[in-house]
Amino acid sequence: MKSRIVAASAIVLTSALALAACSGGAGDTAASGAASGSGDGDYTIAIVPKDATNPWFVRMEAGVQKYAADTGMNVFQKGPSETDATMQAQVIQDLIAQGVDAIGVVPVDPGAIEPALKEARDAGIVVVTHEGASQENTMYDIEAFNNAKYGAFIMDNLAQAMGEEGIYTTMVGHVTNASHNEWADGAVARQKEAYPNMTLLEAEPRVESQDNGETAYQVAKEVLKKYPEVKGILGTSSFDAPGVARAIDELGLKDKVFTAGTGMPAANKEILDKGLVAALTLWDPADAGYAMAALATKILNGEEITDGVNLGVKGYEEMHFSEGSDKVLEGNGWIQITKDNVDSFGF
């Protein structure tokens, strides 16, 4: 492991440079691009997901392990046992105590982990995030895409399923999740712009699944029973659309109520094949895990992080700063999953 002095120096250098400047999938990523600038292989980089058991983050770990294999560095993933901000903060504090060189985090609640990330930064540890555009104590945040555009993409899928008319509502994993709310906001903006015969449910325009499939299912049932006029529920968490689809099936509302949102291919093959959801949207979390580790390495190496930076994995080869930001980097990594291509992804 590099000494803390080296890591701290890299932070100072990178910060100064930043101020001056302002699906092959991870499994197929060659040890090139980001990996070619991996230093001497002595860095220890930890990726902290929302939790350790969610299939989404199990897939992310595959990308983290791929990066470790490509570079020979000590790169690993460690998350809390459940999606809990306090538990995630404790994992971060444990990593600080271990003296890692860099931490990449997918925040449960950006505000709740600010103190822990500040502690990491103060200790000279490089901090990067994914799905944490509002995070203050991070050097850079990686987004697989522009969040508003991704939300619009989800809305296009829902609108097509609904025949571009009817009442709908939006579901987020947590009301504190910055990215989920940005996707939902982008979806609503797209609806208002492109689908005038669709209407957002005024009484409950946004509901919460707590990033839990059972909760998504129960909340969807409550919404559909309370508001029988609702024809669509747009999800953001990977648990939302599958949970809504289960409610649609149980209530006998197939072809009457529709959903769209993020979801894993293999885990949702059945609902796609049954037509309970026409399409799901996704980015490969393995690629995001790889990209976080690659970005952390570049920072540790003292490289200048400029607009167009290549993180060495498909969808992240040309990252651009979000409009008005010198911290949030956006890629072009979304994909659409249907019954016709669900078997082609390998996860």
Side-chain angles (χ1 to χ4, degrees):
M1 185 186 303
K2 292 286 185 187
S3 70
R4 184 66 60 235
I5 294 174
V6 173
S9 298
I11 292 172
V12 172
L13 174 59
T14 306
S15 298
L17 290 167
L19 287 171
C22 119
S23 140
D28 297 324
T29 303
S32 59
S36 66
S38 318
D40 59 10
D42 285 345
Y43 299 135
T44 295
I45 300 173
I47 303 300
V48 183
K50 293 181 184 179
D51 71 61
T53 59
N54 182 331
W56 182 271
F57 297 113
V58 172
R59 173 63 182 174
M60 178 173 282
E61 189 169 15
V64 174
Q65 292 173 344
K66 175 64 176 172
Y67 189 81
D70 282 354
T71 62
M73 293 191 299
N74 182 19
V75 185
F76 61 93
Q77 182 165 299
K78 181 179 181 181
S81 59
E82 58 187 84
T83 304
D84 180 89
T86 301
M87 294 173 68
Q88 187 178 51
Q90 184 59 58
V91 170
I92 294 168
Q93 289 170 338
D94 291 345
L95 292 168
I96 295 169
Q98 292 172 30
V100 299
D101 294 301
I103 299 174
V105 186
V106 187
V108 173
D109 179 346
I113 63 168
E114 288 290 8
L117 294 187
K118 184 178 187 304
E119 184 179 342
R121 294 289 304 278
D122 289 346
I125 296 172
V126 164
V127 174
V128 297
T129 51
H130 171 56
E131 290 189 75
S134 65
Q135 200 77 58
E136 294 183 8
N137 284 291
T138 183
M139 300 179 73
Y140 296 97
D141 176 71
I142 293 175
E143 300 292 333
F145 33 67
N146 176 277
N147 284 338
K149 291 180 180 178
Y150 181 64
F153 181 56
I154 299 175
M155 174 52 70
D156 288 341
N157 282 271
L158 181 65
Q160 183 176 3
M162 292 175 61
E164 300 186 10
E165 62 180 16
I167 296 173
Y168 73 98
T169 190
T170 63
M171 180 180 287
V172 295
H174 293 274
V175 293
T176 57
N177 186 301
S179 294
H180 287 186
N181 281 282
E182 288 175 13
W183 301 345
D185 289 344
V188 173
R190 174 65 171 166
Q191 175 267 303
K192 291 180 178 178
E193 170 193 53
Y195 306 110
N197 294 326
M198 291 176 64
T199 306
L200 182 63
L201 180 66
E202 185 175 348
E204 292 191 57
R206 192 151 302 172
V207 293
E208 185 179 42
S209 69
Q210 298 176 13
D211 263 329
N212 182 283
E214 182 67 24
T215 304
Y217 157 71
Q218 294 291 350
V219 169
K221 283 205 305 181
E222 291 170 10
V223 167
L224 294 173
K225 289 178 179 178
K226 189 175 181 181
Y227 307 104
E229 68 274 22
V230 167
K231 190 178 175 182
I233 300 178
L234 182 142
T236 55
S237 163
S238 61
F239 291 106
D240 293 354
V244 175
R246 180 182 164 198
I248 290 170
D249 192 30
E250 183 176 299
L251 296 173
L253 295 173
K254 180 185 173 184
D255 298 327
K256 297 178 182 178
V257 176
F258 307 90
T259 188
T262 299
M264 299 285 281
N268 295 296
K269 175 177 168 57
E270 183 178 357
I271 64 172
L272 286 160
D273 286 345
K274 291 175 67 174
L276 292 168
V277 58
L280 294 171
T281 55
L282 181 71
W283 68 102
D284 190 341
D287 293 345
Y290 193 104
M292 270 194 288
L295 179 60
T297 300
K298 286 181 175 293
I299 296 170
L300 287 165
N301 284 341
E303 294 184 36
E304 183 178 4
I305 307 303
T306 59
D307 196 70
V309 62
N310 179 7
L311 299 183
V313 67
K314 186 175 180 180
Y316 301 79
E317 313 100 316
E318 192 175 347
M319 303 289 290
H320 293 287
F321 285 109
S322 175
E323 185 176 356
S325 174
D326 59 1
K327 181 182 289 188
V328 179
L329 289 160
E330 299 174 340
N332 186 28
W334 70 56
I335 53 179
Q336 184 187 57
I337 308 157
T338 68
K339 66 179 181 179
D340 296 324
N341 67 4
V342 66
D343 295 319
S344 67
F345 294 99
F347 65 94

